[in-house]
Amino acid sequence: MSTTNYPSATPQSQPPRKDFKNLVIGILAAGFLGTWGYLLWNNNKQEQVQQTQQTQIAKVTDEKGQLQKNFDDALVRLDSLTGTNNKLTSQLTEGQTQIGKLKANIRGILKKEKLTEAEKKKADDMIKQLNDQISGLEQQVATLTSENQQLTTDKTQLSAEKDKLTTDLQTTTTNNQQLQQKVEIASTLNASNIAITPMHDRKNGQDKVTTNAKKVDKLVISFDVSNRIAQTGQTDIYVCITGPDSKPISVPALGSGSFTTREDGDKVFTAKVPVDIEAGKTKAVQFAWKQNSPFQKGDYKIEIYHNGFKIGEGTKELKKGGLFG
């Protein structure tokens, strides 16, 4: 076997090379498709999650909104109840206190942006309790309103009865006054046997009757009074003396004054004489008028009054004294 350093003219055979290009392309394509599919699936999944979250948010929002609405409705009931019954709320203090606590607790929960199931349930329970409290108040208000209406009716009836009693009392009072006036008029005394005696006071104590004006020291006036229905007791009789000058004689220092008559208005009296009357008996009255000035000649008119009525009168003339007067 010969060897040589020259290349042989006949080519030697080599193994064929493998082509990986298509395989790489296929793998890349498969990977791309897988990635795209995953992205598509993940995108759909995210959309589903978002829809679920939105649904849950909407549900939570609706539930909270419903709780708020229920609470607002309860407050409207309460405002309507208390607003139209301001006069009754003072009688419902205890119920109002409990309602105030419930309102504060419910508001505290509803202020939160997100509510847990426990908080929603608690708020719902408290709103129901609030409505129950309001229903109780409505019943109490209805009862109190009915009672107040009855009281108003009773008050109206009592007022009518009071007005009638007042009218009856006024009528009775008027009748009594009229009756009393009639009795008073009927019990006015009658005067009779009127006598006017001018007297001269002697030093020996024995008075002497005289008509000499200069010698007259006093006028002794006497009369009898009587009345069958007059009650036993003391009464006043007014004696009015008019002098010769036609002027009433009045000496305030001796007890003179004025009184009211039934027909002539106010009148000056000379003397007021208290008289003790006994029922059914005639009473003799006598008193002396002794003035602080001389008596004048002329006619002295005597008028006797009782209960404002003139019950008698008389006249006595005093003369000018002569040589033997």
Side-chain angles (χ1 to χ4, degrees):
M1 177 180 192
S2 60
T3 58
T4 180
N5 289 331
Y6 294 99
S8 171
T10 302
Q12 297 179 355
S13 61
Q14 297 180 351
R17 296 179 59 184
K18 293 183 179 180
D19 190 359
F20 294 101
K21 182 179 180 179
N22 292 332
L23 178 61
V24 171
I25 292 173
I27 291 172
L28 290 175
F32 176 75
L33 291 174
T35 301
W36 182 80
Y38 172 78
L39 291 175
L40 182 61
W41 173 86
N42 185 60
N43 186 52
N44 291 335
K45 187 68 175 179
Q46 289 294 329
E47 289 180 356
Q48 291 177 0
V49 170
Q50 289 178 358
Q51 289 178 354
T52 301
Q53 289 176 343
Q54 290 175 355
T55 302
Q56 290 176 347
I57 291 172
K59 180 181 179 183
V60 170
T61 301
D62 290 343
E63 290 176 349
K64 183 178 178 181
Q66 186 62 45
L67 288 173
Q68 185 67 53
K69 182 179 182 303
N70 293 341
F71 181 53
D72 291 341
D73 290 344
L75 293 181
V76 169
R77 288 179 61 200
L78 182 61
D79 291 341
S80 175
L81 179 64
T82 56
T84 57
N85 295 277
N86 290 328
K87 294 182 180 179
L88 302 178
T89 53
S90 60
Q91 303 178 44
L92 308 172
T93 305
E94 183 178 356
Q96 290 285 60
T97 301
Q98 295 177 358
I99 286 176
K101 292 180 180 179
L102 283 173
K103 286 164 57 179
N105 292 335
I106 294 170
R107 284 197 178 102
I109 293 176
L110 293 180
K111 282 182 180 179
K112 298 180 179 180
E113 293 184 4
K114 295 183 180 181
L115 303 181
T116 64
E117 290 298 324
E119 288 173 334
K120 287 188 290 184
K121 185 178 186 308
K122 183 177 181 181
D124 187 51
D125 290 341
M126 285 193 294
I127 291 173
K128 290 179 180 178
Q129 186 178 355
L130 175 62
N131 279 309
D132 290 341
Q133 289 282 347
I134 295 173
S135 296
L137 281 180
E138 287 174 337
Q139 281 188 325
Q140 293 180 55
V141 168
T143 301
L144 290 172
T145 301
S146 177
E147 292 175 354
N148 283 348
Q149 289 175 347
Q150 184 61 44
L151 287 175
T152 301
T153 301
D154 293 343
K155 180 181 178 182
T156 302
Q157 183 177 353
L158 288 174
S159 296
E161 292 176 357
K162 178 186 175 183
D163 292 341
K164 185 177 184 303
L165 287 174
T166 301
T167 302
D168 292 345
L169 179 60
Q170 291 174 344
T171 302
T172 301
T173 301
T174 301
N175 292 338
N176 286 342
Q177 290 175 344
Q178 292 175 349
L179 179 60
Q180 184 178 1
Q181 185 177 18
K182 290 179 180 179
V183 171
E184 185 179 6
I185 292 173
S187 63
T188 300
L189 299 173
N190 300 312
S192 60
N193 300 323
I194 300 173
I196 306 166
T197 307
M199 302 292 291
H200 171 62
D201 293 336
R202 286 182 172 184
K203 293 182 180 180
N204 60 8
Q206 295 181 354
D207 296 341
K208 178 182 178 181
V209 178
T210 179
T211 58
N212 188 337
K214 291 184 178 181
K215 292 185 177 182
V216 173
D217 296 307
K218 59 187 176 184
L219 294 177
V220 177
I221 302 169
S222 62
F223 52 89
D224 295 334
V225 292
S226 62
N227 188 293
R228 289 180 297 175
I229 69 170
Q231 298 295 316
T232 299
Q234 190 177 82
T235 188
D236 291 327
I237 291 178
Y238 295 92
V239 177
C240 303
I241 302 176
T242 303
D245 57 359
S246 299
K247 295 180 179 180
I249 296 175
S250 175
V251 185
L254 298 178
S256 300
S258 64
F259 71 107
T260 303
T261 67
R262 303 273 182 165
E263 298 175 350
D264 301 325
D266 292 341
K267 186 176 180 68
V268 173
F269 67 83
T270 306
K272 181 171 68 173
V273 183
V275 179
D276 292 324
I277 300 296
E278 291 186 46
K281 293 185 179 182
T282 300
K283 177 72 175 181
V285 180
Q286 179 178 294
F287 82 100
W289 171 249
K290 191 174 184 179
Q291 60 191 33
N292 55 2
S293 61
F295 285 92
Q296 304 297 319
K297 72 179 184 68
D299 291 336
Y300 282 82
K301 182 180 179 181
I302 311 297
E303 296 173 294
I304 303 170
Y305 282 84
H306 181 242
N307 279 345
F309 293 101
K310 182 192 290 188
I311 61 173
E313 67 176 55
T315 303
K316 189 65 178 181
E317 181 185 6
L318 299 184
K319 299 178 181 179
K320 181 178 181 182
L323 179 61
F324 301 101

